[in-house]
Amino acid sequence: MKKKPILTIALAAGLAVCSLGAQVYAKPVDSQQVQPFNVFDNKVVNNINVDNIYNNIEYLSRTPRVAGTVEEQNAIKYVKEQFESYGYETKLQEFQFYGYTAPTTVELSVDRYEGNLEPKSFTYGMDGDVTGELVFVGLGTKAEVEGLDLTGKIALVERGAISFADKVLNAAAQGAEGVIIFNNADGVINGTLGGPNDAYVPVVSITRDAGQAILADLNSGETLTATVNIEGAEGGIRTSHNVIATKAPTNKNKGTNDIVAIGAHHDSVPGAPGANDDASGTSMTLELARILKDLPTDKELRFMTFGAEELGLIGSRYYASQLSEEDKKRFVGYFNLDMVGSRDAGDLVINTVDGNDNVVSSHAQASSARLNGEPTPIQPGGSSDHVSFYEVGIPSASFIHRALEPWYHTPEDTIDKISKEKLQDVAEIVGTAVYDLVRPENQGPEAVKGKEQKVPHLYYEQDIH
């Protein structure tokens, strides 16, 4: 990670006599393009307490926080209490969804392969204990299964081309009693069927090596019998909540009618403590709320954590659906924090749904250029709560490190994998970008576009080590 630019003694002295409206310009020692140093950044940077973020992650990640469970409700209560301890007016927004509990038993036997297959279940998969002759049906597309009589049989299917759900439904439509899907790459499949469906039959996944070994035996003419046994899966209507903390403009006479929001999701996947995904984003949202509470702002600030993100952005989509047309127009932008602290992930990127720049990404790029010497790159990317805002016409972006860490969605997503350095970096970038948007007499990229800066110029040197 790049070292931050440091101020020289001359600049520090100069700042003492500058007006608060001054912009200070950095002059890199390699004489490349000058980057502005915004004196207002220090109001955020100097007040970030990374230990607060880390400690909140530690508390939230003591147990998985699956949507609709007691553990998620405890996390919701904790987040609400933290917001309220900072002095925020905080409310819970209740919503209902179809919830799913993973099975307690997932077993697969294929004649002489017993004990070696390590099957995995699929989210929204159903219970069942079925036995039948194993038949390979390729990728399980409609064209491949058309005309096959799979009555009483179990379909062996390779991953790819169509969704897991369609593979199961296509095989079931031809009479299959069960389905085994093997991977087309290394590793296991942590898959979902996307939603409940009474037409599903019991389905499990296995690795590519296991699937190819079974397929080789079938291709050699062997007849194999398989048994799939799944127990304990449970689905039904459940309740979760979004947590919403609001700060009105500090000077109502000079305040605008605009809204800027920061948020994250507080739920995790089954079995995963979710330290990085997404206790890190939730805890950073809390810390930025603490910092921005007492700073002068001319826009309404909303800090939000969403439930049931892992089940398909359910909480944030509900939130967006409840916004009036007037409120949608008031939104300047939404900053989403998802997986912002793993020591084992790659570099920070800014995901926008369409890969294009918007007011959120442009302010974040400007702040990262000021703080780190270069703008954080923008990449197209969905799969998080910023999508819900994009879908209703609100500029949004998500902050995440890519490539993802190997502990993603596993029991190993624990506090010991969290990097305080990465937490500090993201908190500085997002915090200063947000403050540049909401502070009075905003001097951000959009505000100053095409305007001459009539402010004193001072200079500092970069740390080149």
Side-chain angles (χ1 to χ4, degrees), residues 35-335:
Q35 296 289 345
F37 176 82
N38 186 340
V39 296
F40 290 95
D41 289 343
N42 285 333
K43 291 179 177 290
V44 173
V45 172
N46 292 344
N47 286 298
I48 294 171
N49 186 333
V50 74
D51 288 332
N52 287 345
I53 305 174
Y54 189 88
N55 292 338
N56 281 329
I57 295 172
E58 191 280 326
Y59 180 87
L60 290 168
S61 63
R62 292 175 184 177
T63 182
R65 307 172 302 282
V66 178
T69 64
V70 171
E71 290 77 15
E72 191 212 22
Q73 288 300 317
N74 289 338
I76 290 167
K77 179 182 177 183
Y78 179 80
V79 170
K80 182 174 185 289
E81 290 174 347
Q82 292 298 107
F83 280 138
E84 290 174 338
S85 74
Y86 307 147
Y88 281 95
E89 176 185 342
T90 307
K91 68 176 183 178
L92 299 182
Q93 183 184 51
E94 180 178 306
F95 61 92
Q96 293 186 320
F97 64 97
Y98 183 93
Y100 177 81
T101 300
T104 54
T105 299
V106 181
E107 297 174 334
L108 170 66
S109 62
V110 181
D111 289 339
R112 58 188 178 84
Y113 292 91
E114 291 92 333
N116 300 317
L117 297 173
E118 300 182 356
K120 304 293 182 183
S121 64
F122 288 82
T123 303
Y124 299 114
M126 64 179 293
D127 282 359
D129 187 358
V130 296
T131 299
E133 180 185 343
L134 201 57
V135 178
F136 179 59
V137 296
L139 294 171
T141 63
K142 283 186 177 181
E144 288 173 294
V145 302
E146 186 177 6
L148 295 179
D149 182 5
L150 300 179
T151 303
K153 298 178 181 179
I154 293 178
L156 177 67
V157 190
E158 184 176 7
R159 181 181 191 176
I162 60 175
S163 70
F164 297 129
D166 285 342
K167 294 175 187 292
V168 175
L169 293 172
N170 291 342
Q174 302 302 121
E177 295 287 333
V179 175
I180 301 168
I181 300 175
F182 66 91
N183 210 348
N184 57 3
D186 291 338
V188 299
I189 298 174
N190 291 310
T192 178
L193 302 182
N197 192 318
D198 291 339
Y200 291 149
V201 294
V203 55
V204 295
S205 69
I206 56 177
T207 64
R208 178 176 60 181
D209 290 346
Q212 288 180 341
I214 294 171
L215 179 58
D217 287 341
L218 291 176
N219 288 337
S220 69
E222 287 195 44
T223 298
L224 300 176
T225 299
T227 297
V228 176
N229 180 37
I230 300 175
E231 301 174 7
E234 182 183 352
I237 300 301
R238 298 178 183 171
T239 299
S240 183
H241 297 83
N242 299 323
V243 188
I244 306 164
T246 304
K247 176 189 177 183
T250 53
N251 188 327
K252 292 184 179 180
N253 294 328
K254 294 183 179 180
T256 72
N257 197 39
D258 296 334
I259 301 169
V260 175
I262 307 172
H265 69 90
H266 50 245
D267 65 313
S268 73
V269 298
N276 193 45
D277 188 17
D278 186 28
S280 65
T282 297
S283 300
M284 191 173 294
T285 300
L286 288 171
E287 178 64 3
L288 293 178
R290 184 191 69 81
I291 293 166
L292 291 165
K293 176 62 175 67
D294 295 322
L295 293 181
T297 52
D298 65 3
K299 297 176 181 63
E300 180 179 317
L301 271 171
R302 293 185 187 179
F303 300 90
M304 302 177 283
T305 70
F306 299 110
E309 186 268 0
E310 297 288 4
L311 299 179
L313 318 183
I314 295 174
S316 59
R317 280 190 166 129
Y318 180 79
Y319 175 84
S321 74
Q322 299 303 298
L323 291 172
S324 66
E325 289 303 315
E326 180 184 353
D327 271 356
K328 292 176 189 176
K329 293 176 182 177
R330 292 176 60 204
F331 261 92
V332 174
Y334 169 68
F335 292 74

Side-chain angles (χ1 to χ4, degrees), residues 381-401:
S383 303
S384 196
D385 290 314
H386 64 300
V387 174
S388 302
F389 291 82
Y390 174 85
E391 290 172 341
V392 297
I394 296 172
S396 63
S398 189
F399 298 81
I400 187 170
H401 294 100

Side-chain angles (χ1 to χ4, degrees), residues 389-427:
F389 291 82
Y390 174 85
E391 290 172 341
V392 297
I394 296 172
S396 63
S398 189
F399 298 81
I400 187 170
H401 294 100
R402 292 192 183 276
L404 300 183
E405 66 275 15
W407 323 119
Y408 171 64
H409 280 188
T410 74
E412 284 71 47
D413 183 7
T414 47
I415 186 65
D416 57 302
K417 314 295 195 316
I418 295 296
S419 162
K420 289 186 179 181
E421 183 182 14
K422 284 188 173 180
L423 293 176
Q424 180 78 29
D425 180 59
V426 180

